[in-house]
Amino acid sequence: MKTDSHTIDEIIEVAKKKNANVNEELIRKAYLFAADAHKDEFRASGEPFIIHPIEAAYTIAELGMDAASICAALLHDVVEDTGKKLAEIEKEFGKDVALLVDGVTKISEIKPKSKDMAEAENIRKILLATTHDIRVIIIKMADKLHNMRTLSSLSEKRQFEIARETLDIYAPIAYRLGMEKIKAELEDLAFKYVYPETYKDLSEKINQKKGERESEIDHFRKMLDDKLKENKIEAKIKGRAKHLYSIWKKMIRKNRPFEEIYDVLALRVVTKDVKGCYDTLGIVHQLWKPIPGHIKDYIAMPKANMYQSLHTIVMAEEGTIIEIQIRDEEMDKIAEEGIAAHWAYKGATHKGHPGQSGAATQSEKFDKKLSWLRQIQDWQTEEKDAKNFVDSVRVDLFQDEIYCFTPKGDVIELPKGATVLDFAYAVHTGIGDICTGGRVNGTFTSIRHILRTGDVIEIITAKNQHPTRSWLKIAKTSKARNKIRKYIQEMETIPVGHMKEKHVEISEDVKSIIEIDGVKKPKMIKLAKCCTPLPGDPVLGFVSRTDIITVHKIDCKNIDKITAEVKKKVKINWRGDVSTKMQLKVEANDRVGLFADILNTISATGTNMSEAKAKMVNKELAQVTFYAEVDDIDHLKDLIERIKRIQSVKRVYIGRMGM
Ligand code: MN
């Protein structure tokens, strides 16, 4: 953390190091203009005001931004604080600089009306300014960073307010933009003012342990370094100092004491290229024992904020746990500077600077990664209503993570709105594929159940369960959705195996959910008992001499035998678009709680149901009838499968249609 002031010469020096052709003249002119405009102003600390824009500009230069950005950082408070007109800036420095200054000014101008709306309104303003030109938000971050570094001279009340705003708004935006270095510094600076006692307590504990920890890290760093050299892998290894706020958040999230969180050591390996990353991972796992379930490949699957790395957690000698991040130099830069690093590539490309091999690809990558910003712009024009706008932004970009637990206490991080099904896939793909529900804090729930932070989830599975298309509506995470899609694709190309299922017969009214090719007014349709087709399965109809159609799965082993006995074969299609109220009948051996179990199972899926009735068919057998509103054939199929799994249920079938 550096608080002593830089000079304009130092800014120029850094800017030139990043880009030899930077417009030095324009930057010097902006400096003189700002110094003159602010000449009678002083900061709360008593220092000349110009120190503030100079520091912001220095940060911008360090990020490798262009001359216009550096000028705008120098001029960012001129319009707001000194009464200079924007037109004057435009005249002196051009439209580009003027637009940037205007963008930063607009962010600062917002004065939230109610405390409740403050966060949402701020986020909205900032994002709108951002969609205009990404450089605006980067300059705003540099502005914020210096203000936070010099917060100590303000009143306690202002300190708290500004620090709170930083934690609520600016740090999350920095995170979303991948600007990890700035985010971490903002958080630690704000932490000190928002939670002064916790901060003090934690920093004391860290100071006490510092020496011991450093020598430990050094020991393991050297071990790994030797091994990498032995294998001729070129890499730099850094011991990572975790920042205070993230340690504290982790303590809360995992509900663990400081020692347990802090005793986990952290190393980062920066390699020359991607291949080096995977080679290093192999070496690490030869050297130390990986802890299962903690290897993450964010290189193949980058995070939404563009972050790429390999993560692993290993157990070294004497049970020491080490978290290791492995990435190449470019990924490392992006991991620390995020969107600013991308902009620097793109900026260089646009101005046609030499020495940027593969620049076009970089530029394309950048455009792709900025697509979410463009989405915001679309919403802005589509959604006139500010609240809707804020809601959509919140859901898609600022949805906070929730933290749930496995029965063993492992933490699973999910986006807000994630369901039991997402959790199952987050634990393991194999578990997701056969998930039938969950026990959330001891209560049975369906796969559709939405989770909350702190929930303890035990996943319930069944061997004959498998993903269906309707699961795509239930899963919120891309991981779960990808796995479900993959399963469905595979099942569409590989013939379905013979699943052992209870007998299901669908009554005559099955006509309503299937289309029959070539037979008018069949006397009856029934589903074959040998292969028990369900809605959605690929099937064929066999017409008997008495015009009864029996529906078999296309891969039924009896098909060859049947062919000789029937009049003809007909094409049968399930109607996938059935969105209707449908009568279902359930037959089961009567027992205490049967009716309740059936109703709970249905309502747990979120299915609307009505007119549920139960009656006794004979001494043992009960029949439950109800109407269910199904969205499509997969929903229906899912529902039938669930009911069939209820204890003592004998069969489920479809009653009358379209009521
Ligand atoms: Mn400022």
Side-chain angles (χ1 to χ4, degrees):
M1 208 184 304
K2 194 164 170 158
T3 47
D4 30 25
S5 172
H6 291 96
T7 64
I8 184 64
D9 289 331
E10 284 170 318
I11 293 175
I12 301 281
E13 195 190 313
V14 173
K16 279 194 159 171
K17 213 184 275 170
K18 305 274 176 183
N19 173 8
N21 301 323
V22 75
N23 189 340
E24 178 181 342
E25 202 187 324
L26 196 70
I27 297 171
R28 287 196 184 275
K29 190 175 158 191
Y31 165 70
L32 291 174
F33 189 95
D36 182 56
H38 291 298
K39 67 176 183 294
D40 298 326
E41 284 181 283
F42 294 89
R43 307 200 85 217
S45 62
E47 294 168 301
F49 188 87
I50 188 67
I51 284 176
H52 168 64
I54 280 189
E55 289 310 308
Y58 188 81
T59 302
I60 291 299
E62 271 190 317
L63 288 170
M65 305 295 291
D66 64 348
S69 306
I70 298 170
C71 289
L74 285 165
L75 298 164
H76 81 268
D77 276 326
V78 160
V79 174
E80 198 190 349
D81 293 353
T82 73
K84 291 265 186 206
K85 293 279 177 288
L86 198 65
E88 201 176 333
I89 306 253
E90 189 175 335
K91 203 182 115 221
E92 296 292 330
F93 302 97
K95 199 163 185 164
D96 199 20
V97 174
L99 280 174
L100 292 176
V101 172
D102 192 37
V104 180
T105 307
K106 279 193 175 129
I107 295 175
S108 324
E109 267 170 6
I110 104 112
K111 299 279 181 283
K113 284 176 193 104
S114 74
K115 236 188 163 155
D116 218 30
M117 276 300 280
E119 195 183 328
E121 277 290 330
N122 268 302
I123 288 172
R124 175 167 177 262
K125 270 275 179 185
I126 291 163
L127 287 175
L128 289 187
T130 303
T131 60
H132 211 68
D133 191 323
I134 193 67
R135 290 174 297 176
V136 170
I137 193 71
I138 300 171
I139 297 165
K140 186 64 203 174
M141 286 297 166
D143 173 34
K144 199 76 206 162
L145 188 61
H146 185 248
N147 281 336
M148 286 304 297
R149 283 173 177 170
T150 53
L151 203 55
S152 62
S153 27
L154 296 186
S155 73
E156 228 170 85
K157 185 170 167 276
R158 284 299 290 150
Q159 283 175 352
F160 180 83
E161 284 168 0
I162 292 171
R164 185 75 257 179
E165 184 193 50
T166 299
L167 280 188
D168 287 344
I169 294 161
Y170 288 95
I173 291 178
Y175 171 75
R176 296 294 160 188
L177 297 173
M179 303 172 80
E180 175 59 32
K181 214 169 146 191
I182 288 185
K183 185 211 98 177
E185 193 180 339
L186 285 177
E187 279 182 346
D188 274 3
L189 289 166
F191 186 27
K192 190 170 148 188
Y193 295 99
V194 177
Y195 305 98
E197 263 146 52
T198 318
Y199 180 88
K200 196 167 156 252
D201 186 45
L202 266 190
S203 14
E204 272 166 17
K205 280 180 175 160
I206 285 174
N207 275 334
Q208 278 166 18
K209 287 206 147 205
K210 214 174 170 185
E212 183 193 331
R213 189 184 151 95
E214 272 168 11
S215 63
E216 241 188 321
I217 288 182
D218 243 33
H219 166 73
F220 291 112
R221 196 178 51 78
K222 197 170 174 312
M223 262 178 96
L224 180 57
D225 198 36
D226 290 347
K227 204 83 193 168
L228 290 177
K229 283 205 177 94
E230 209 180 291
N231 287 275
K232 301 199 167 50
I233 297 172
E234 212 182 319
K236 282 185 210 117
I237 309 174
K238 309 175 192 173
R240 281 190 288 137
K242 281 190 191 157
H243 72 291
L244 249 66
Y245 189 69
S246 75
I247 293 171
W248 183 62
K249 272 204 310 204
K250 215 167 186 176
M251 284 164 61
I252 292 181
R253 196 167 82 206
K254 299 202 168 186
N255 194 21
R256 300 279 156 84
F258 167 78
E259 288 72 21
E260 257 178 68
I261 303 294
Y262 194 64
D263 285 351
V264 174
L265 301 180
L267 290 177
R268 178 178 301 146
V269 185
V270 179
T271 63
K272 281 275 158 210
D273 51 25
V274 178
K275 189 182 170 290
C277 295
Y278 290 97
D279 290 347
T280 302
L281 186 71
I283 301 287
V284 165
H285 288 168
Q286 273 172 34
L287 192 58
W288 299 308
K289 197 168 160 270
I291 296 176
H294 289 279
I295 303 162
K296 290 190 184 133
D297 186 349
Y298 295 117
I299 293 179
M301 300 274 275
K303 287 192 185 182
N305 69 3
M306 311 169 216
Y307 175 89
Q308 286 186 296
S309 268
L310 299 176
H311 288 188
T312 185
I313 302 181
V314 296
M315 175 113 56
E317 59 213 52
E318 288 149 18
T320 307
I321 307 282
I322 315 175
E323 292 175 3
I324 300 170
Q325 299 176 343
I326 306 162
R327 54 209 194 205
D328 72 14
E329 284 163 2
E330 189 191 326
M331 293 173 202
D332 191 46
K333 193 171 161 60
I334 286 162
E336 300 215 316
E337 297 174 2
I339 204 131
H342 279 281
W343 196 91
Y345 283 121
K346 166 119 169 170
T349 313
H350 268 207
K351 288 172 191 76
H353 282 302
Q356 282 283 332
S357 62
T361 348
Q362 274 303 337
S363 171
E364 278 161 30
K365 267 206 264 178
F366 177 81
D367 283 339
K368 220 170 165 183
K369 279 163 181 166
L370 273 187
S371 62
W372 64 270
L373 282 175
R374 230 160 277 125
Q375 262 180 23
I376 298 170
Q377 224 157 10
D378 292 344
W379 292 332
Q380 191 204 352
T381 45
E382 281 165 20
E383 308 244 8
K384 296 251 157 60
D385 181 2
K387 204 189 163 296
N388 277 349
F389 171 85
V390 173
D391 287 347
S392 40
V393 170
R394 271 171 182 282
V395 171
D396 283 7
L397 292 170
F398 290 86
Q399 56 180 193
D400 291 318
E401 282 82 24
I402 56 164
Y403 301 97
C404 300
F405 300 90
T406 66
K408 281 183 187 158
D410 289 333
V411 180
I412 304 285
E413 188 180 326
L414 293 164
K416 227 175 216 170
T419 57
V420 167
L421 189 61
D422 290 304
F423 184 89
Y425 275 101
V427 172
H428 193 274
T429 305
I431 291 175
D433 281 347
I434 55 168
C435 173
T436 59
R439 237 166 60 155
V440 178
N441 308 322
T443 307
F444 285 100
T445 61
S446 78
I447 55 172
R448 290 167 188 244
H449 181 85
I450 291 170
L451 299 173
R452 293 197 306 198
T453 287
D455 283 346
V456 179
I457 299 111
E458 185 188 334
I459 292 299
I460 298 165
T461 59
K463 272 187 200 149
N464 64 354
Q465 175 71 312
H466 58 86
T468 66
R469 232 168 249 286
S470 64
W471 284 20
L472 291 170
K473 287 184 188 164
I474 299 166
K476 301 284 183 300
T477 54
S478 50
K479 180 182 178 185
R481 296 169 60 80
N482 286 341
K483 298 292 180 191
I484 295 163
R485 258 188 227 110
K486 198 172 158 229
Y487 181 92
I488 294 169
Q489 271 164 16
E490 277 170 9
M491 291 315 278
E492 276 166 0
T493 48
I494 301 163
V496 190
H498 295 282
M499 282 182 281
K500 290 262 176 289
E501 283 172 326
K502 284 184 199 168
H503 168 69
V504 180
E505 188 179 90
I506 296 182
S507 77
E508 195 178 345
D509 284 321
V510 77
K511 273 179 280 190
S512 307
I513 54 163
I514 61 178
E515 289 165 350
I516 305 154
D517 208 338
V519 177
K520 280 174 199 145
K521 291 189 185 170
K523 277 190 186 154
M524 205 182 135
I525 298 177
K526 58 181 187 182
L527 301 182
K529 289 177 189 174
C530 50
C531 57
T532 61
L534 275 172
D537 288 337
V539 286
L540 254 180
F542 296 85
V543 186
S544 73
R545 313 222 178 264
T546 50
D547 282 342
I548 295 168
I549 301 177
T550 310
V551 179
H552 289 262
K553 285 191 192 173
I554 53 164
D555 59 344
C556 175
K557 59 185 175 213
N558 291 328
I559 280 184
D560 290 343
K561 282 185 255 165
I562 306 157
T563 313
E565 296 162 18
V566 297
K567 204 159 79 182
K568 61 173 175 176
K569 279 188 264 184
V570 285
K571 214 175 132 193
I572 303 271
N573 290 316
W574 299 100
R575 287 179 49 190
D577 58 343
V578 182
S579 172
T580 182
K581 206 163 156 184
M582 180 170 282
Q583 194 186 55
L584 289 177
K585 287 177 186 277
V586 183
E587 283 178 15
N589 282 338
D590 193 37
R591 61 175 172 87
V592 176
L594 171 69
F595 193 44
D597 280 354
I598 293 172
L599 298 192
N600 285 340
T601 301
I602 298 155
S603 66
T605 64
T607 308
N608 283 332
M609 59 178 297
S610 55
E611 293 172 53
K613 285 180 285 213
K615 65 171 188 187
M616 296 304 291
V617 177
N618 57 39
K619 251 198 208 156
E620 288 111 39
L621 204 62
Q623 186 189 61
V624 177
T625 310
F626 61 92
Y627 287 94
E629 285 175 30
V630 295
D631 302 335
D632 55 31
I633 205 89
D634 286 322
H635 185 184
L636 173 65
K637 193 178 164 183
D638 187 46
L639 205 58
I640 292 175
E641 298 241 324
R642 271 164 210 284
I643 298 167
K644 277 163 56 192
R645 278 193 295 270
I646 298 170
Q647 190 204 330
S648 87
V649 167
K650 294 285 169 220
R651 55 178 204 154
V652 185
Y653 55 96
I654 293 163
R656 286 170 298 149
M657 296 287 307
M659 298 297 286

